[in-house]
């Protein structure tokens, strides 16, 4: 059963140097026509796979808030039309760049059911912001978060990054201190990963990208966990921290290996036991929706073996880990029967541990998560 919906707005006014998400420059793009295609895809999707247990909606990008207020209104009407009825506890998140949101846009979002804002802060160091291709500055973060609170938002998340070019442990500590001063409910913090087809990738290949050492990156992550705990944030996933009760329901849908819609160019869905990939290029996406009703370019039926692999690969990202009893209920087989060798190997390395009903990462394992996850791909 579908638990979540992700909707992708691929337009940006500036392309960040590290970003490999599906995105295009806003100028000259058929934005209105794209929103109509999203409306049509959404309508066809909910008819094909009715959302009986929808708990969370997430609008990401790109930069969703580059839409004009008129475009935002049309888009939000479409979401409300096809993803209702919604229970009152539904989480509805909108990604935003600091500095992009006017009071009118924020009021429109709130009045349209959006109850959670996720700001892409990344760092509070203005020099670093410029170096990574961000258009906002430190002052914009404080002004926009304050404005969101004034309008009535009570669930605000900020994204931070570490291991950025020339970033020091001290400068990351300053960003954490400033993030805490915002008094928000949720923080996501990710280390920089250099992806192909990005500005940073090209600079790295030319030897022009000065990155922190692995030791400094590990020190930043250690600092992150300690500071979050010291300020009352619960680490519920490798890179995510929240006040009690403010965990991201949307992200947990992925890590719990549950089904979700993916609407928009380049989006991915997991519905009816199938993983589906949408066309990425805007024109191809729109053309497929117009001619076939769906923009699918790849559909893969997930077999039981893959589902069990994904249960571990995704579930071990959660700090609580993977429930042995839930695994049995879901698949009708003991987790130890399927993965006994992998579990024992990772326990012997000190990367996994068993705690009551759960198999979870150790403190050491949090630093080597990708190595642990890969071990469960049979």
């Amino acid at each position: 059963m579908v638990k979540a919906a992700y909707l992708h707005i691929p337009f940006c006014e500036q392309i960040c140097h590290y970003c490999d998400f599906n995105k295009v420059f806003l100028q000259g793009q058929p934005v209105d026509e794209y929103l109509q295609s999203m409306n049509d895809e959404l309508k066809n999707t909910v008819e094909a796979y009715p959302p009986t247990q929808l708990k969370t909606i997430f609008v990401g990008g790109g930069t969703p808030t580059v839409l004009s207020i008129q475009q935002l209104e049309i888009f939000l009407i479409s979401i409300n039309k096809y993803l209702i009825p919604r229970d009152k506890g539904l989480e509805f998140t909108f990604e935003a760049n600091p500095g992009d949101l006017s009071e009118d846009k924020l009021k429109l979002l709130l009045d349209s059911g959006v109850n959670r804002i996720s700001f892409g802060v990344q760092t509070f160091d203005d020099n670093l912001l410029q170096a990574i291709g961000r258009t906002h500055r430190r002052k914009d973060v404080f002004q926009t978060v304050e404005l969101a609170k004034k309008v009535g938002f009570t669930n605000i998340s900020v994204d931070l990054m570490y291991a950025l070019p020339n970033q020091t442990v001290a400068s990351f500590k300053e960003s954490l201190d400033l993030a805490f001063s915002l008094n928000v409910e949720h923080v996501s913090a990710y280390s920089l990963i250099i992806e192909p087809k990005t500005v940073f990738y090209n600079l790295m290949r030319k030897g022009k990208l000065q990155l922190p050492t692995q030791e400094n990156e590990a020190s930043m992550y250690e600092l992150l966990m300690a500071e979050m705990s010291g300020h009352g944030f619960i680490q519920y996933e490798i890179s995510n921290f929240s006040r009690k009760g403010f965990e991201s329901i949307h992200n947990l849908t992925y890590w719990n290996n549950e089904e979700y819609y993916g609407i928009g160019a380049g989006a991915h869905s997991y519905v009816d036991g199938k993983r589906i990939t949408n066309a990425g290029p805007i024109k191809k996406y729109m053309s497929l929706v117009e001619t076939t009703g769906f923009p699918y370019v790849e559909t893969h039926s997930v077999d039981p073996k893959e589902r069990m692999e994904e249960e571990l690969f995704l579930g071990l990202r959660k700090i609580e880990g993977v429930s042995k009893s839930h695994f049995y209920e879901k698949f009708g087989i003991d987790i130890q029967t399927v993965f006994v060798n992998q579990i024992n190997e990772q326990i012997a390395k000190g990367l996994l541990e068993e705690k009551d009903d759960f198999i979870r990462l150790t403190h050491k394992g949090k630093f080597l998560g990708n190595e642990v996850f890969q071990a469960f791909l049979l």
Side-chain angles (χ1 to χ4, degrees):
M1 288 177 284
V2 177
K3 298 289 185 70
Y6 173 81
L7 298 100
H8 190 72
I9 301 296
F11 309 112
C12 292
E13 290 183 331
Q14 170 72 20
I15 304 297
C16 301
H17 297 344
Y18 54 84
C19 181
D20 73 330
F21 294 140
N22 191 49
K23 77 284 182 187
V24 293
F25 282 109
L26 175 67
Q27 188 173 359
Q29 295 295 333
V31 179
D32 294 336
E33 294 86 348
Y34 177 78
L35 293 177
Q36 182 60 52
S37 293
M38 286 189 75
N39 176 84
D40 295 344
E41 184 197 0
L42 183 56
K43 173 180 180 293
N44 296 337
T45 299
V46 298
E47 287 177 355
Y49 310 102
T52 53
Q53 286 193 344
L54 198 69
K55 297 295 182 183
T56 169
I57 301 169
F58 192 104
V59 179
T63 312
T65 47
V66 300
L67 299 178
S68 70
I69 195 160
Q70 293 81 11
Q71 291 165 340
L72 267 178
E73 185 172 15
I74 291 169
F75 180 50
L76 289 161
I77 288 172
S78 176
I79 293 174
N80 275 270
K81 180 177 181 180
Y82 294 114
L83 296 179
I84 285 181
R86 304 197 310 261
D87 64 60
K88 292 183 179 180
L90 183 141
E91 174 192 86
F92 189 173
T93 303
F94 230 83
E95 277 188 343
N97 280 351
D100 275 355
L101 278 174
S102 65
E103 186 169 348
D104 286 343
K105 281 187 180 181
L106 281 163
K107 286 180 177 178
L108 174 61
L109 292 175
L110 191 67
D111 291 344
S112 301
V114 177
N115 53 24
R116 184 174 184 268
I117 298 285
S118 178
F119 287 111
V121 175
Q122 316 313 356
T123 177
F124 287 85
D125 183 321
D126 284 347
N127 291 327
L128 263 182
L129 285 168
Q130 183 174 354
I132 65 177
R134 302 292 289 183
T135 56
H136 73 271
R137 294 297 178 260
R138 176 192 297 194
K139 63 178 176 60
D140 298 319
V141 178
F142 289 94
Q143 291 172 355
T144 310
V145 169
E146 187 61 33
L147 187 59
K149 290 181 178 182
K150 174 188 171 185
V151 167
F153 282 97
T154 57
N155 191 353
I156 297 173
S157 178
V158 298
D159 287 353
L160 298 177
M161 296 182 71
Y162 59 96
L164 295 170
N166 298 307
Q167 188 179 33
T168 64
V169 176
S171 67
F172 182 54
K173 171 69 163 59
E174 182 183 13
S175 280
L176 288 173
D177 290 341
L178 290 168
F180 295 133
S181 75
L182 293 170
N183 195 27
V184 296
E185 288 71 38
H186 188 279
V187 177
S188 298
Y190 303 96
S191 65
L192 173 66
I193 298 175
I194 305 298
E195 301 284 3
K197 300 180 181 179
T198 62
V199 173
F200 276 172
Y201 181 78
N202 293 330
L203 288 174
M204 184 181 70
R205 291 187 64 189
K206 295 175 182 178
K208 296 182 178 179
L209 194 65
Q210 186 68 39
L211 297 173
T213 63
Q214 288 185 341
E215 291 77 11
N216 278 345
E217 179 178 346
S219 295
M220 291 180 197
Y221 186 49
E222 190 78 71
L223 175 69
L224 170 68
M225 291 188 287
E227 288 291 316
M228 287 291 166
S229 177
H231 285 81
F233 284 80
I234 300 165
Q235 184 179 18
Y236 67 99
E237 189 267 349
I238 288 179
S239 302
N240 284 267
F241 307 80
S242 73
R243 303 289 187 190
K244 188 175 181 180
F246 287 93
E247 298 86 354
S248 168
I249 299 171
H250 192 86
N251 288 344
L252 283 168
T253 301
Y254 299 141
W255 302 322
N256 288 329
N257 200 22
E258 296 172 324
E259 295 193 340
Y260 53 89
Y261 301 130
I263 306 296
H268 297 260
S269 301
Y270 183 28
V271 293
D272 197 27
K274 300 186 292 285
R275 292 202 179 272
I276 302 168
T277 303
N278 286 0
I282 305 297
K283 289 184 179 179
K284 184 175 182 180
Y285 167 81
M286 293 167 57
S287 175
L288 284 172
V289 172
E290 181 179 0
T291 56
T292 71
F294 297 95
Y296 303 160
V297 292
E298 184 178 348
T299 300
H300 173 72
S301 294
V302 183
D303 63 35
K305 170 177 163 289
E306 290 174 298
R307 289 179 62 215
M308 288 187 285
E309 290 175 353
E310 291 172 353
E311 194 77 9
L312 273 292
F313 189 92
L314 297 168
L316 284 173
R317 293 190 62 91
K318 298 178 295 181
I319 299 305
E320 72 172 8
V322 175
S323 163
K324 291 181 281 188
S325 60
H326 180 70
F327 187 95
Y328 184 83
E329 290 170 9
K330 195 168 184 178
F331 301 106
I333 189 171
D334 286 332
I335 193 171
Q336 290 282 5
T337 302
V338 185
F339 295 110
V340 60
N341 292 333
Q342 293 90 336
I343 292 170
N344 289 342
E345 179 184 356
Q346 299 304 311
I347 289 176
K349 290 181 178 179
L351 304 180
L352 281 184
E353 63 184 3
E354 293 191 60
K355 176 71 172 178
D356 300 324
D357 183 45
F358 290 88
I359 297 170
R360 66 184 189 184
L361 293 172
T362 62
H363 183 74
K364 178 183 176 182
K366 294 176 187 176
F367 293 83
L368 299 168
N370 287 334
E371 177 183 324
V372 179
F373 308 149
Q374 290 290 334
F376 290 92
L377 296 179
L378 300 174

